[in-house]
């Protein structure tokens, strides 16, 4: 389109459908997939110019592919970032960002409530390169401040956190990072740009596991890093050499996923709020953790920096004899018939997980307690089934607890 509007003139829902559409001479209305590893040139001279970067254009799908580029440009526009780099998975996005931007002796401050595998990167791999990480409570600004060192280069968080729905104050943490020349990196997997735009709040880089809501139907693994070209080009340089690239087929699935992202996130959030309010009223539910509830200690902050509350709830269950233990949690889960027992989330299908014995199963007990992962805690990632059917299914869980 020659008269392309500026992305800032369009709403996120429109960008998700219209931005960076791929048009070839065939004029397909749906984006085509360029399922090719390499590209041909008119001449030897052109090949040389493309490889050296003198002439822009496709070289090799490890770092240049039209379908992958369309996904990158669309996601960057939606997040309000200058550029995006697509990667093979969310973990490829997280690890590539660290490896591209950090050097031995650097220091990272991170929320302790991050995706479990991110902690493995800190403890096993960054440590090996003499990069230290300090873990802090997401919601406690004083802890972040106290953890800062002169060599701190990155502050890293997810908000809302998994599974307890704690909220990080992105604006305040961006100021803290920038006062010291550090970067704020936000994993925006749980909200997506449909509900939260960390870059507008001051974050430098946004990370995605596209595997979750960007796909939305549990089909493909993918990830992305969004931000200013000065930073994303460093990540792209790492990807070009190290090779954790996104497949063009997956990029095409994510392009299709983005088109319905706004609608899905709205429907996910609506279903989840209805269920969270309902769960709060049920016997057998000792506590509901969800930032959309007025009872959540950071509800106001969540309402300020998000336009919806997302689809992940954590509940603490109690059986009719007053036991709040692993057995009660497992009985509740095994009582359901519709909701899938799996650790995945971000799917149209609702899922139920016992973090203490799965996603956080290898976390040592002390750290688990500090992170609030109690034995009677259950995580629900609410999908798009009819809310009444989900209530019926959760009622089966309550029945298994003796209610
Ligand atoms: C799943 C997840 C990741 C990792 O993504 P993969 O695509 O599975 O590698 C990172 N961060 C968050 C918040 C996640 O939920």
């Amino acid at each position: 389109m020659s008269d392309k509007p500026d992305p800032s003139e369009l709403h996120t829902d429109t960008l998700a459908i219209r931005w960076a559409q791929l048009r070839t001479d065939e004029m397909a209305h749906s984006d085509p997939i360029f399922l090719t590893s390499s590209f041909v040139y008119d001449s030897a001279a052109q090949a040389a110019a493309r490889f050296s970067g003198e002439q822009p254009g496709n070289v090799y799908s490890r770092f240049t592919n039209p379908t992958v580029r369309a996904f990158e440009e669309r996601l960057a526009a939606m997040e309000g970032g200058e550029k995006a780099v697509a990667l093979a998975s969310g973990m490829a996005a997280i690890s590539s960002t660290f490896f591209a931007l950090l050097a031995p002796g650097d220091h990272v401050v991170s929320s302790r409530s991050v995706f479990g595998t991110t902690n493995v990167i800190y403890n096993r791999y960054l440590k090996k390169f003499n990069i230290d990480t300090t873990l802090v409570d997401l919601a406690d600004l004083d802890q972040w401040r106290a953890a800062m060192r002169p060599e701190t280069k990155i502050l890293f968080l997810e908000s809302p956190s998994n599974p307890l729905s704690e909220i990080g104050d992105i604006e305040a943490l961006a100021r803290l990072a920038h006062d010291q020349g550090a970067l704020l990196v936000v994993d925006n997997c749980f909200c997506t740009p449909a509900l939260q735009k960390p870059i507008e709040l001051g974050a430098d880089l946004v990370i995605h596991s596209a595997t979750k809501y960007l796909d939305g139907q549990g089909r493909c693994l993918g990830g992305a890093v969004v931000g200013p070209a000065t930073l994303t080009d460093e990540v792209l340089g790492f990807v070009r050499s190290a090779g954790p690239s996104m497949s063009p087929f997956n990029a095409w699935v994510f392009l299709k996923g983005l088109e319905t992202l706004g609608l899905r996130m709205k429907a996910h959030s609506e279903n989840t709020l209805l269920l969270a309010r309902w769960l709060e009223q049920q016997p057998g539910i000792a506590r509901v953790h969800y930032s959309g509830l007025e009872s959540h200690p950071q509800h106001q902050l969540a309402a300020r920096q998000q336009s919806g509350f997302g689809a992940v709830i954590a509940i603490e269950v109690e059986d009719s004899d007053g036991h709040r233990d692993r057995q009660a949690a497992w009985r509740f889960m095994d009582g359901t018939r519709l909701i899938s027992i799996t650790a995945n989330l971000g799917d149209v299908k609702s899922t139920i997980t016992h973090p203490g014995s799965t996603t956080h199963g290898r976390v040592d007990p002390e750290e688990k307690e500090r992170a609030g992962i109690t034995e009677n805690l259950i995580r629900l990632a609410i999908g798009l089934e009819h809310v009444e059917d989900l209530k019926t299914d959760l009622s089966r869980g309550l029945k298994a607890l003796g209610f």
Side-chain angles (χ1 to χ4, degrees):
M1 278 186 282
S2 52
D3 55 348
K4 229 164 60 166
D6 189 85
S8 64
E9 294 166 18
L10 296 172
H11 293 85
T12 311
D13 287 353
T14 308
L15 294 169
I17 294 168
R18 290 283 178 183
W19 198 253
Q21 275 184 94
L22 271 177
R23 282 279 152 73
T24 67
D25 289 347
E26 308 298 337
M27 294 299 281
H29 197 196
S30 174
D31 305 276
I33 317 182
F34 287 87
L35 216 45
T36 179
S37 48
S38 59
F39 300 86
V40 290
Y41 309 102
D42 291 337
S43 64
Q46 190 190 44
R50 288 273 173 87
F51 267 81
S52 69
E54 225 169 280
Q55 189 187 90
N58 300 309
V59 179
Y60 188 56
S61 286
R62 190 180 334 108
F63 54 101
T64 49
N65 177 277
T67 313
V68 175
R69 191 180 317 122
F71 167 72
E72 291 169 336
E73 289 181 5
R74 193 173 298 176
L75 183 66
M78 291 171 69
E79 285 284 4
E82 187 183 355
K83 259 180 150 178
V85 182
L87 294 107
S89 67
M91 283 321 303
I94 292 170
S95 58
S96 299
T97 298
F98 288 140
F99 286 123
L101 300 178
L102 294 172
D106 286 347
H107 175 242
V108 175
V109 183
S110 170
S111 157
R112 70 176 73 256
S113 313
V114 292
F115 189 66
T117 315
T118 306
N119 274 306
V120 179
I121 299 287
Y122 297 149
N123 296 333
R124 200 172 300 162
Y125 298 102
L126 292 189
K127 193 166 272 178
K128 194 156 88 172
F129 295 97
N130 191 27
I131 297 165
D132 242 10
T133 307
T134 305
L135 299 181
V136 296
D137 290 347
L138 175 63
D140 187 344
L141 280 173
D142 289 336
Q143 282 192 32
W144 287 90
R145 222 170 275 126
M148 297 295 286
R149 298 183 196 162
E151 60 274 21
T152 304
K153 289 285 159 40
I154 285 181
L155 278 66
F156 188 94
L157 63 97
E158 285 168 29
S159 182
S161 73
N162 175 17
L164 292 176
S165 232
E166 299 150 308
I167 306 292
D169 186 334
I170 296 174
E171 254 174 340
L173 289 167
R175 268 197 306 274
L176 179 66
H178 298 160
D179 279 350
Q180 220 165 291
L183 301 171
L184 179 67
V185 181
V186 176
D187 183 335
N188 200 25
C189 173
F190 275 38
C191 274
T192 82
L195 302 182
Q196 172 170 269
K197 302 214 187 170
I199 290 173
E200 286 179 1
L201 296 166
D204 298 283
L205 288 172
V206 165
I207 302 261
H208 274 286
S209 166
T211 315
K212 313 290 167 53
Y213 296 101
L214 303 192
D215 174 357
Q217 294 175 60
R219 297 165 292 196
C220 288
L221 265 87
V225 183
V226 187
T230 47
L231 298 175
T232 57
D233 284 350
E234 292 288 322
V235 179
L236 180 61
F238 179 81
V239 173
R240 178 175 181 159
S241 300
S245 324
M246 178 181 282
S247 140
F249 177 79
N250 290 12
W252 180 82
V253 172
F254 297 134
L255 281 169
K256 299 288 108 188
L258 288 181
E259 292 177 0
T260 57
L261 181 69
L263 260 184
R264 283 188 286 108
M265 293 313 288
K266 206 165 149 192
H268 274 292
S269 300
E270 277 171 14
N271 256 4
T272 309
L273 188 57
L274 286 170
L275 284 173
R277 290 204 170 122
W278 177 80
L279 282 162
E280 267 195 321
Q281 308 300 321
Q282 302 311 307
I285 306 293
R287 191 156 170 205
V288 181
H289 302 263
Y290 183 56
S291 67
L293 292 171
E294 287 77 9
S295 60
H296 188 283
Q298 294 172 288
H299 175 66
Q300 295 301 332
L301 174 60
R304 202 162 65 232
Q305 68 184 20
Q306 301 166 210
S307 60
F309 300 101
V312 178
I313 318 183
I315 53 176
E316 293 177 34
V317 297
E318 175 182 59
D319 70 17
S320 54
D321 295 324
H323 296 120
R324 298 184 176 188
D325 52 14
R326 174 178 293 201
Q327 233 169 348
W330 284 16
R331 267 164 59 201
F332 181 93
M333 291 173 65
D334 292 341
T336 62
R337 289 285 167 271
L338 191 65
I339 301 176
S340 317
I341 300 177
T342 169
N344 197 31
L345 59 90
D347 198 305
V348 291
K349 299 184 182 84
S350 296
T351 62
I352 189 165
T353 313
H354 183 247
S357 57
T358 59
T359 54
H360 294 68
R362 284 171 298 170
V363 178
D364 70 74
E366 218 171 276
E367 181 59 32
K368 231 194 276 195
E369 192 176 314
R370 212 174 315 153
I373 309 298
T374 54
E375 283 297 310
N376 66 333
L377 189 81
I378 292 172
R379 185 188 74 190
L380 290 160
I382 304 302
L384 302 185
E385 302 94 339
H386 197 287
V387 70
E388 293 303 327
D389 295 334
L390 294 173
K391 274 185 199 167
T392 304
D393 204 38
L394 293 169
S395 298
R396 292 186 191 108
L398 292 168
K399 201 165 164 206
L401 292 179
F403 294 101

